[in-house]
Amino acid sequence: MHCAHFVAGRCQSCQWLAMPYAEQLALKQQQLLQLVSPLAPLEILSPVASQQQACRYKAKMVVQGSCEAPLLGIINQQGQAVDLADCPLYPPAFAAVFAVIKQLISRAQLTPYDIATRRGELKYVLLQQSYHSGHFMLRLVLRSKNCLAALQKHLPWLLASLPALSVVSVNLQPKPAALLEGPEEILLTEQALLREQLNQVPLYLSPQSFFQINPELAARLYATAATWTAELTQQGVPIRHLWDLFCGVGGFGLHLASNEVALTGIEIAPSAIASAKQAAAELGLTQVDFRALDSAAFATAAVSPPDLLVVNPPRRGLGVELVTAIKQLAPAYIIYSSCNANSLAADLTLLDNYQLLRVQLFDLFAHSSHYEVLTLLQQRAKTA
């Protein structure tokens, strides 16, 4: 991938961009092998490569400049505001949408927030596109409600200018700290959810939902988990009930569930649970129980294990409380998806009553040191 901003030294966000992509992938695989080799995995699969550009369907842009000439991008290590509206990591449609957003900033006089003086209103522009439909969700992170009336006034113009724009919201982040967003979200459009669809499975994204940045590889990640589960069933493993902890909007669980396999999905965010329920209803799944709970608390209180446990924790990993609960429950099989191989390896070391059967790297974050890992574990046979 060629990036003029990287070549000029303005943006180094893609730390590995100077490295040929094949070498990037090989280095990630090598790092993963070093972490999991002490766990004696039975099978290490080849890594799944990403497209090298136009692969990120979610943009988080710092707003700088002025109302008349706004910049959407980053503040680099030199303290310079760099406009990345033409970043090649985003699909081509993003550039046209960013151009209209800049016009909106000028029309509505959304003054970019200045960190040094703590003045201004617009802090970030968060833009997400559905891989399936091409529709967009736009979130504007503001310091206060001062510009809400102006935004509502220009909303009809914005929607007319961008027919693919389905959801628009304002997030309020009044603190001067470098926080991306605050807890309060104000919806400006009638439509509240962006519909995604991966592998024929609908997924509904609310403004504050977590979703993978690279949906093409997310689809392959979910499909692989479904394939591994189907292979267990074909081998005679009875899977009648599965749990999906940290389920988000239901990506893994909805790919694995059926009307023969009951699904319990646990996620702390109520909006994500509501989205997962909507998708399950659309799929016609009848044995589904999605709950807005803490995953560790749910597992600790449970009295019987699922046949298959799926976990997809945040970067920090499972945590001691949840690992302890899993070891006590002792489900026969675990599928563990992780965006942090270091915390994954630490958790798997603690789960010493499990054999690591299979490991595969999914390069959701091309040109960086980050990647996703999918693993399959089996409870070890108890010794007398």
Side-chain angles (χ1 to χ4, degrees):
M1 181 181 83
H2 174 76
C3 176
H5 302 292
F6 183 86
V7 173
R10 293 188 294 268
C11 176
Q12 301 294 305
S13 299
C14 296
Q15 314 102 308
W16 288 11
L17 187 55
M19 188 188 308
Y21 184 65
E23 292 183 21
Q24 294 182 33
L25 206 57
L27 181 56
K28 292 182 182 186
Q29 183 79 342
Q30 179 184 349
Q31 292 175 345
L32 177 60
L33 289 176
Q34 290 174 347
L35 287 168
V36 301
S37 290
L39 302 168
L42 297 186
E43 186 177 13
I44 300 175
L45 301 174
S46 299
V48 179
S50 170
Q51 297 293 326
Q52 295 184 45
Q53 62 186 54
C55 55
R56 293 195 176 191
Y57 281 68
K58 184 190 299 184
K60 302 177 181 180
M61 311 295 262
V62 177
V63 184
Q64 290 289 283
S66 64
C67 291
E68 294 72 25
L71 302 177
L72 305 179
I74 62 167
I75 300 174
N76 66 16
Q77 293 182 341
Q78 293 76 41
Q80 303 166 326
V82 181
D83 191 282
L84 296 178
D86 60 346
C87 174
L89 283 177
Y90 306 128
F94 273 60
V97 177
F98 285 139
V100 175
I101 293 171
K102 289 180 180 180
Q103 294 180 49
L104 173 68
I105 293 170
S106 299
R107 292 170 69 101
Q109 289 294 289
L110 304 178
T111 308
Y113 181 74
D114 183 77
I115 297 173
T117 64
R118 298 186 179 181
R119 293 180 179 177
E121 289 294 325
L122 182 57
K123 293 185 172 184
Y124 299 97
V125 164
L126 310 179
L127 185 65
Q128 185 166 0
Q129 186 180 30
S130 165
Y131 180 70
H132 173 69
S133 69
H135 287 198
F136 284 91
M137 175 164 58
L138 169 64
R139 303 174 65 207
L140 302 170
V141 182
L142 297 176
R143 187 182 65 159
S144 72
K145 296 181 180 180
N146 290 343
C147 294
L148 269 180
L151 271 173
Q152 290 166 336
K153 174 184 175 181
H154 293 281
L155 183 64
W157 170 87
L158 176 65
L159 296 176
S161 300
L162 294 172
L165 185 58
S166 298
V167 182
V168 181
S169 69
V170 164
N171 179 271
L172 294 179
Q173 203 293 81
K175 296 182 180 180
L179 299 173
L180 183 63
E181 58 186 86
E184 185 175 359
E185 196 85 19
I186 302 171
L187 197 65
L188 300 184
T189 50
E190 290 185 11
Q191 189 165 328
L193 301 173
L194 180 67
R195 188 183 189 278
E196 183 58 279
Q197 182 173 306
L198 302 180
N199 308 314
Q200 308 305 311
V201 174
L203 299 168
Y204 288 93
L205 312 179
S206 66
Q208 292 184 301
S209 293
F210 167 79
F211 194 67
Q212 297 286 7
I213 200 169
N214 186 330
E216 181 180 3
L217 256 66
R220 297 185 66 178
L221 180 72
Y222 296 147
T224 299
T227 297
W228 292 0
T229 302
E231 289 172 355
L232 290 176
T233 302
Q234 291 163 8
Q235 293 164 13
V237 175
I239 299 179
R240 296 173 293 270
H241 188 190
L242 69 92
W243 290 358
D244 183 4
L245 302 187
F246 309 98
C247 68
V249 297
F252 277 106
L254 293 172
H255 275 79
L256 274 56
S258 69
N259 285 329
E260 289 72 46
V261 179
L263 165 64
T264 298
I266 304 298
E267 168 61 49
I268 196 68
S271 60
I273 289 298
S275 295
K277 288 180 177 179
Q278 182 172 342
E282 185 174 328
L283 287 168
L285 296 173
T286 56
Q287 296 194 73
V288 173
D289 181 17
F290 283 108
R291 307 186 206 174
L293 296 171
D294 175 78
S295 291
F298 169 79
T300 300
V303 294
S304 60
D307 301 307
L308 172 64
L309 170 64
V310 180
V311 291
N312 183 23
R315 288 190 61 79
R316 65 178 180 272
L318 297 174
V320 174
E321 182 183 1
L322 182 51
V323 167
T324 301
I326 292 171
K327 292 181 71 172
Q328 291 175 346
L329 286 165
Y333 290 88
I334 300 173
I335 290 178
Y336 186 153
S337 180
S338 172
C339 62
N340 183 347
N342 288 287
S343 62
L344 168 69
D347 285 341
L348 297 188
T349 300
L350 293 175
L351 290 167
D352 52 5
N353 56 330
Y354 283 87
Q355 169 67 55
L356 181 55
L357 299 180
R358 192 175 291 171
V359 180
Q360 189 164 29
L361 185 156
F362 292 77
D363 191 21
L364 273 73
F365 312 98
H367 315 304
S368 78
S369 59
H370 302 292
Y371 50 88
E372 193 87 12
V373 185
L374 192 67
T375 63
L376 176 64
L377 299 95
Q378 181 182 18
Q379 186 186 16
R380 296 182 190 275
K382 296 180 180 179
T383 55

